[in-house]
Amino acid sequence: MQNPLAHLATRLLAVDGPITRLFRASGVHDFAGAANHVLQLPYGRVTDRSKFWLVLEEGRGTCTTKHATLAELAREQDIDVQLMLGIYEMNERNTPGVGRVLDAYGLSYIPEAHCYLRYQGERIDVTGVPSGAEPIESFLHEEPIAVDQIGAYKNDLHKRFLRDWIARTNTAPGRSLEDVWRIREECIAALGAGAYATTDR
């Protein structure tokens, strides 16, 4: 699979800022190096998602907090990088570790919200993908978001999408939004406890 950083040009961190200082304290001095540093961090939710920079202090992160941290670094450095929110069909092939949960509920996939970056027209995903996983190349929905939209806005959009998906498909018959959201949370918990403990999406 293609290196997710292949399109990311090296650029020195020349401007000061709070996120920049955190990366420098970790021994990182250019943007591509910052992206690679975040890529290597294991999967796990930080203690407060609104403080996304805890990725660097707690040494873990999800797609949301990892990419929000890099997006804020890009803003400090005046690098034209856009934080993106997409929704994709999460299954065992593209997100190894969720298959057992989905199978238990008779589901082949669940629409999942996923954050990543866009740089010069290319998707940059530094969440980390385990060996053998299919890359996420097709999205059911994509939009640029601001860093302050990674909390309530992201969750609200995801739930609106799931509510519509339940209503217009027969993929989750008889299940409410609350049911599907609980199954989704079980999938996320399985990622943190399994293969994504060292590499994750």
Side-chain angles (χ1 to χ4, degrees):
M1 188 175 63
Q2 187 182 35
N3 180 354
L5 307 184
H7 298 283
L8 200 57
T10 299
R11 178 165 164 179
L12 292 176
L13 305 181
V15 182
D16 193 27
I19 305 300
T20 300
R21 288 193 290 274
L22 287 174
F23 274 106
R24 285 176 176 156
S26 298
V28 176
H29 300 284
D30 63 79
F31 192 77
N36 187 64
H37 179 78
V38 170
L39 175 64
Q40 302 305 318
L41 296 178
Y43 182 85
R45 287 173 167 167
V46 295
T47 52
D48 183 349
R49 180 168 56 177
S50 67
K51 299 177 181 178
F52 51 85
W53 59 87
L54 290 175
V55 163
L56 298 173
E57 296 180 5
E58 298 181 2
R60 63 180 182 270
T62 62
C63 68
T64 302
T65 50
K66 285 186 174 189
H67 291 102
T69 300
L70 287 174
E72 184 62 14
L73 176 66
R75 188 195 66 76
E76 289 182 0
Q77 298 300 316
D78 196 26
I79 300 173
D80 188 15
V81 169
Q82 178 64 59
L83 180 62
M84 300 293 296
L85 171 59
I87 295 179
Y88 75 104
E89 295 184 357
M90 178 172 66
N91 56 49
E92 178 66 19
R93 296 186 307 278
N94 57 34
T95 313
V98 303
R100 175 182 54 80
V101 177
L102 294 175
D103 288 346
Y105 292 99
L107 295 172
S108 58
Y109 74 93
I110 284 182
E112 173 63 3
H114 184 63
C115 286
Y116 49 97
L117 303 177
R118 188 174 292 281
Y119 174 71
Q120 296 185 348
E122 299 286 343
R123 290 192 192 106
I124 306 296
D125 191 335
V126 298
T127 317
V129 181
S131 178
E134 293 180 0
I136 302 172
E137 295 181 341
S138 177
F139 284 86
L140 305 170
H141 173 83
E142 286 185 282
E143 66 175 80
I145 61 170
V147 168
D148 62 6
Q149 292 178 303
I150 65 171
Y153 178 85
K154 175 176 175 280
N155 277 352
D156 289 347
L157 183 140
H158 190 186
K159 288 181 176 180
R160 288 198 308 271
F161 191 96
L162 285 174
R163 187 179 291 110
D164 179 65
W165 173 74
I166 292 167
R168 64 183 168 78
T169 72
N170 196 37
T171 309
R175 290 199 168 97
S176 66
L177 173 62
E178 291 72 23
D179 293 334
V180 173
W181 192 259
R182 179 176 49 79
I183 296 168
R184 181 259 179 187
E185 285 293 298
E186 287 187 35
C187 288
I188 300 304
L191 297 183
Y196 279 63
T198 54
T199 54
D200 65 282
R201 188 180 297 286

